Amino acid sequence: MSSSSTAPQKFDVFLSFRGKDTRRTFISFLYKELIRMSIRTFKDDVELKSGRRIASDLLMAIENSKIAVVIVSKNYPASPWCLQELEMIMDVEKKGSLIVMPIFYNVEPAHVRRQIEKVAEQFRKHEMRENYETVVSWRQALTNLASISGHCSRDCEDDLKLLDEITKRITDMLLFSATPPSHSISNQFGFDAHMKELYPLLELTSNEGVRVIGIWARGGNGRSALARYVYQKIFKKFQSHCFLENVKGIPHDCQMSNLRDEFLIRIQGGYSKMKTSGLIKTRLMSQKVLLVANNVDKLEQLDALSEDFNCFGPGSLVIITTQDKQLLLAFGIKVVYEVECLRCFEVRQLFRQIGFRERDLYVGSELSSPISGTESS
């Protein structure tokens, strides 16, 4: 896991759940879908090695996540470990650096909030084994969680519909954190104008070869926002797709192998790697693939990725974003979209329009600085 000399991994979503209730069912489907959508997701049995389920490791993962999805199942309140984990989640949420999304899975939200019925029985057992202060803090964490608007399985026809609702909400939250959420707001940011310029360059209907295009601007935040916006707009047109969030942030000591591993893991829809990359490449050769590599800053990174994207099927598209225009030219990328300016208005106003609570405003902080460059002629 992370050490003092290694930067902690960043996650979009942290999953908190009771394994015996949902690990083999709902959680397995939710996790697979989130990874398929290139949403970096922490799931304890994947991210932590056997025997290393340590509170400090989990706290670091929680603190480095954007959203915590807490699946409250029948036996979740019975687990001291789940309640300890929930207490950490709610403490981080209280600081304003985490969005918490509760999912009430085959339980009544009112029973959880008021801690009655089966939940009351579970806490009576905790009171027999744990000290008073610990149980009080667990009760408060559960009450605070149940006071947040979430999703309830009883309101959905089946798990598939529940899964769709959850993944859509998560995707929207992550998209709002980097891009404007509606047509009117996107106009104010200038995204609509940029998309009109970009669409002809993407040639989404092409079935010939692999197209590689660049998006260039001097600033970083706005360019990344545009990259995520483009990805969300077009990924459904491809059989496989992958968004590499921050290529230059990969540790330099083993950057090339880490970069290729990250791509191969993401593109296959999970974090347990196939025994050989050859199996993945064989599959991708017959597929139309979308790869967005964001924030590239070295030619070696493009060389490493090209070993894989040169094997994509006909009609595939690779988008490289960077603040170094010469890097794109040196790699031989002829189609480069130069971003003039992504106009961003004050973040608090944006999130007031889309209905987030004030404590959720932190997720839009990267939008507060405009970027500028030179418009292509």
Side-chain angles (χ1 to χ4, degrees):
M1 200 63 180
S2 301
S3 66
S4 58
S5 60
T6 304
Q9 293 189 56
K10 300 289 186 179
F11 298 95
D12 295 314
V13 174
F14 180 97
L15 293 179
S16 177
F17 59 95
R18 182 70 191 274
K20 64 184 291 186
D21 288 351
T22 58
R23 186 187 303 278
R24 296 179 180 272
T25 53
F26 183 73
I27 288 296
S28 65
F29 298 123
L30 175 60
Y31 179 75
K32 182 177 181 180
E33 182 64 11
L34 291 174
I35 296 302
R36 187 189 70 79
M37 299 173 71
S38 292
I39 295 173
R40 180 100 183 183
T41 305
F42 183 98
K43 178 168 166 276
D44 64 348
D45 60 345
V46 174
E47 299 300 336
L48 290 181
K49 295 179 181 178
S50 177
R52 292 206 63 209
R53 204 172 179 193
I54 302 171
S56 60
D57 290 338
L58 282 172
L59 179 58
M60 184 175 294
I62 293 167
E63 290 177 335
N64 286 283
S65 298
K66 298 177 182 178
I67 303 170
V69 178
V70 182
I71 295 86
V72 184
S73 53
K74 291 180 179 179
N75 294 298
Y76 186 96
S79 167
W81 183 257
C82 286
L83 293 175
Q84 180 185 350
E85 185 174 276
L86 176 62
E87 186 179 3
M88 287 189 281
I89 289 171
M90 299 311 295
D91 284 344
V92 176
E93 190 265 355
K94 193 182 302 180
K95 299 174 184 176
S97 59
L98 182 71
I99 299 174
V100 176
M101 181 193 303
I103 311 297
F104 301 98
Y105 190 76
N106 293 332
V107 296
E108 290 291 331
H111 292 179
V112 177
R113 183 172 58 255
R114 295 162 60 192
Q115 295 170 20
I116 59 176
E117 302 291 337
K118 186 174 182 177
V119 181
E121 297 176 15
Q122 293 164 336
F123 268 97
R124 278 195 289 271
K125 293 180 180 179
H126 291 317
E127 289 168 346
M128 295 172 61
R129 297 188 293 256
E130 306 288 345
N131 63 58
Y132 176 78
E133 290 79 10
T134 297
V135 176
V136 168
S137 64
W138 289 351
R139 284 185 178 278
Q140 188 61 55
L142 197 62
T143 299
N144 292 343
L145 174 74
S147 299
I148 299 174
S149 177
H151 296 264
C152 184
S153 60
R154 70 178 182 185
D155 297 331
C156 296
E157 299 173 2
D158 50 39
D159 280 2
L160 181 60
K161 185 175 180 181
L162 177 63
L163 183 69
D164 287 343
E165 289 184 359
I166 294 169
T167 53
K168 183 181 185 305
R169 185 177 174 191
I170 291 173
T171 301
D172 287 346
M173 284 180 174
L174 295 174
L175 183 59
F176 293 157
S177 74
T179 62
S182 70
H183 179 74
S184 60
I185 294 177
S186 65
N187 275 333
Q188 295 183 60
F189 275 80
F191 278 94
D192 283 351
H194 287 292
M195 285 303 297
K196 287 180 181 179
E197 297 288 336
L198 267 170
Y199 259 113
L201 304 180
L202 302 178
E203 295 189 13
L204 297 178
T205 59
S206 172
N207 288 312
E208 298 181 5
V210 179
R211 288 187 54 75
V212 183
I213 74 169
I215 295 179
W216 170 82
R218 292 191 182 92
N221 295 333
R223 184 185 61 251
S224 297
L226 178 60
R228 172 64 75 173
Y229 186 69
V230 172
Y231 178 81
Q232 293 289 347
K233 283 287 188 179
I234 67 175
F235 78 89
K236 291 183 179 180
K237 299 180 183 294
F238 296 84
Q239 293 166 287
S240 291
H241 45 84
C242 175
F243 188 96
L244 293 177
E245 184 71 46
N246 185 25
V247 173
K248 79 172 185 180
I250 295 174
H252 290 283
D253 54 350
C254 48
Q255 191 174 59
M256 297 311 103
S257 60
N258 276 7
L259 178 57
R260 295 194 65 233
D261 284 348
E262 179 74 7
F263 164 71
L264 293 173
I265 292 167
R266 287 290 191 98
I267 202 70
Q268 69 169 313
Y271 283 108
S272 56
K273 290 181 280 188
M274 292 183 181
K275 292 183 178 179
T276 172
S277 62
L279 295 175
I280 307 173
K281 288 184 178 180
T282 300
R283 176 167 62 87
L284 296 179
M285 287 175 66
S286 61
Q287 292 189 354
K288 191 172 181 177
V289 182
L290 170 65
L291 167 64
V292 178
N294 184 46
N295 217 6
V296 174
D297 68 345
K298 287 183 172 58
L299 189 60
E300 291 86 350
Q301 296 160 355
L302 292 179
D303 289 335
L305 286 173
S306 68
E307 293 183 31
D308 296 308
F309 67 62
N310 283 333
C311 299
F312 291 173
S316 295
L317 175 64
V318 177
I319 300 176
I320 307 296
T321 82
T322 183
Q323 63 179 357
D324 184 354
K325 187 177 181 180
Q326 293 303 314
L327 180 68
L328 301 174
L329 299 177
F331 190 71
I333 299 176
K334 296 181 175 60
V335 181
V336 178
Y337 181 71
E338 301 180 10
V339 182
E340 178 187 13
C341 183
L342 297 178
R343 300 179 182 276
C344 302
F345 59 92
E346 204 268 325
V347 177
R348 187 175 300 276
Q349 178 184 352
L350 166 64
F351 278 80
R352 190 181 301 121
Q353 289 190 36
I354 62 178
F356 276 95
R357 299 166 298 173
E358 185 168 334
R359 62 186 174 185
D360 297 334
L361 293 180
Y362 84 96
V363 296
S365 60
E366 75 171 33
L367 296 177
S368 59
S369 300
I371 67 174
S372 60
T374 303
E375 181 69 5
S376 56
S377 56

